Amino acid sequence: MAQRKIIHVDCDCFYAAVEMRDDPSLSDVPLAVGGEGGRGVVTTCNYKARAFGVRSAMPGGEARRLCPGLVTVPPDMARYRAVSKQVMAILRELTDLVEPLSLDEAFLDVSDVSDHKGSATLMAQHLRQRVKDEVGITISAGVAPNKFLAKIASDWQKPDGLFVIRPEDVDGFVQDLKVEKLFGVGQVTAGKLHGLGVATCGDLQSIPTDVLLEKFGKQGYRLREMAYGRDDRDVVVSRIAKSVSVERTFSQDLPDKRACESVMASLVADLNLRLNRKAAHKPIHKLFIKIRYSDFSTHTLERVREQIREPAMEDYQPLLDELITDAERPVRLLGLGVRFRSDESPVMQLRLFD
């Protein structure tokens, strides 16, 4: 079996990061989202607040006692959901194998991705840069041969960090890994392990399996697997593809519309390759096109095209003609794609009047 490559990405202090992005004056103060009033609890805080010992799930009163200058803002979940959607869309452009764990973190299985020379490290760097440039927040990423290690790695150099555990590094890495870092090990389990003289995964490896099973039941087996850095869980995708697209950012801007037309053919070919791989038999509902100009303004246009099985250059040309109003304007990014008809939505539009 080929070596798996898993990336875990985690937005740094997510809700607080969105608040600081939208109001830069909040970046200079210890900030908590939530926790106002007598009974509220902190949902997230920035790193300035963490330096005082403020933590998520802490009552607001205790947080203010630790940090008298704490600034609190109420949570705005609709805004955080919108930003999360933006981040997840960037991840899904790299691979469909994305498993979100919450609004602010996800696993990606990039084992079969050939972009970025097939290097998961380069892919993680690319994702971090894009989220920083396009969303305006930072994400930390961990790269490893499995989910368990990738999640630990993403936390290793937070905030705004990237940590890579290569297959050949796994044995050395887990030797000194504290058992508190293991998935599902809270205070009680950690206390029991310390009672057995176990502080690290290296120590845990020396405990016989039957002892672990006797002390921890079924969890004992999982503890042993983690002690050796093993985890065979798959990245689970529960989402049905609603669209497929390809896009290209050019290191030098395309000078004009004619240059855009010259690269369209190869983009259409890439798109059909992806369609054949991912969604060969899904009925196409719309075509869309996306352009980012040299001043970073981004424009998209989509049109219903129900009869198309395999999109061709001439199918996209009318959209390009409609979208580009200034043929001499330099273009930084060009993308195109298809949206599928939702299986739940009616196939034909109902008439308003009979």
Side-chain angles (χ1 to χ4, degrees):
M1 189 177 141
Q3 180 60 62
R4 287 208 297 176
K5 300 176 194 172
I6 307 293
I7 302 174
H8 179 259
V9 302
D10 193 0
C11 302
D12 301 316
C13 59
F14 181 52
Y15 302 166
V18 175
E19 296 295 344
M20 292 187 292
R21 179 197 74 173
D22 295 346
D23 179 356
S25 71
L26 295 174
S27 305
D28 304 324
V29 296
L31 172 72
V33 176
E36 305 102 317
R39 318 229 14 184
V41 297
V42 172
T43 59
T44 314
C45 57
N46 67 2
Y47 285 88
K48 281 195 163 66
R50 288 178 197 197
F52 287 88
V54 178
R55 293 288 177 267
S56 55
M58 182 179 274
E62 190 184 337
R64 278 186 290 280
R65 210 167 43 250
L66 289 169
C67 178
L70 188 68
V71 175
T72 55
V73 296
D76 181 352
M77 293 313 295
R79 195 154 40 111
Y80 308 148
R81 270 196 297 273
V83 175
S84 168
K85 215 165 151 186
Q86 255 185 301
V87 174
M88 296 299 169
I90 289 172
L91 304 184
R92 289 191 177 106
E93 280 183 35
L94 182 67
T95 175
D96 289 334
L97 296 177
V98 175
E99 179 184 347
L101 302 179
S102 59
L103 286 181
D104 61 342
E105 60 173 321
F107 285 114
L108 294 80
D109 186 332
V110 296
S111 311
D112 297 327
V113 176
S114 55
D115 299 5
H116 308 284
K117 304 177 186 168
S119 159
T121 305
L122 293 178
M123 292 177 216
Q125 285 168 345
H126 164 79
L127 293 172
R128 292 180 61 242
Q129 193 61 50
R130 276 198 63 187
V131 170
K132 194 178 276 186
D133 292 346
E134 295 174 34
V135 185
I137 63 173
T138 62
I139 60 174
S140 293
V143 176
N146 60 48
K147 287 168 88 168
F148 153 61
L149 289 172
K151 189 161 168 51
I152 286 177
S154 69
D155 197 41
W156 211 250
Q157 293 185 344
K158 262 187 165 298
D160 197 14
L162 169 62
F163 190 72
V164 180
I165 303 172
R166 296 171 305 178
E168 61 269 30
D169 302 334
V170 171
D171 292 345
F173 179 80
V174 293
Q175 280 300 321
D176 300 323
L177 187 66
K178 293 205 171 350
V179 290
E180 285 82 353
K181 289 276 185 190
L182 299 185
F183 178 67
V185 173
Q187 270 181 321
V188 175
T189 306
K192 280 192 193 171
L193 286 166
H194 293 163
L196 291 171
V198 170
T200 65
C201 286
D203 302 335
L204 186 52
Q205 290 175 9
S206 65
I207 305 291
T209 308
D210 54 349
V211 174
L212 290 173
L213 290 170
E214 186 192 326
K215 287 264 183 202
F216 301 99
K218 265 194 313 203
Q219 191 194 7
Y221 180 73
R222 214 183 66 225
L223 285 170
R224 184 159 184 81
E225 287 294 285
M226 289 192 289
Y228 284 97
R230 295 193 289 254
D231 175 16
D232 56 6
R233 290 174 303 153
D234 290 322
V235 168
V236 180
V237 183
S238 53
R239 184 178 174 275
I240 299 157
K242 294 176 182 168
S243 64
V244 170
S245 63
V246 293
E247 61 179 45
R248 227 170 269 164
T249 304
F250 304 100
S251 47
Q252 282 187 303
D253 292 344
L254 297 177
D256 53 21
K257 181 182 173 187
R258 182 172 288 173
C260 291
E261 288 169 345
S262 71
V263 299
M264 287 272 283
S266 70
L267 276 171
V268 172
D270 284 355
L271 178 68
N272 280 311
L273 203 67
R274 293 190 81 168
L275 279 172
N276 288 332
R277 203 170 71 225
K278 295 180 180 177
H281 306 298
K282 294 191 78 170
I284 289 172
H285 176 48
K286 289 178 176 177
L287 302 185
F288 64 88
I289 199 161
K290 171 180 170 184
I291 285 179
R292 181 168 300 140
Y293 289 108
S294 53
D295 62 359
F296 283 89
S297 63
T298 305
H299 303 263
T300 55
L301 177 76
E302 53 182 65
R303 290 286 175 260
V304 174
R305 295 285 187 270
E306 300 264 63
Q307 307 310 318
I308 292 170
R309 295 296 300 270
E310 191 169 304
M313 170 77 184
E314 51 268 26
D315 298 316
Y316 282 100
Q317 187 70 49
L319 278 76
L320 190 72
D321 293 340
E322 197 178 335
L323 189 59
I324 293 190
T325 49
D326 175 359
E328 303 303 314
R329 197 171 169 192
V331 169
R332 176 184 170 80
L333 173 147
L334 186 59
L336 34 101
V338 303
R339 297 197 198 289
F340 303 116
R341 196 172 55 231
S342 158
D343 295 332
E344 299 86 63
S345 63
V347 174
M348 54 182 283
Q349 194 169 356
L350 300 174
R351 286 200 293 268
L352 187 57
F353 302 108
D354 206 356

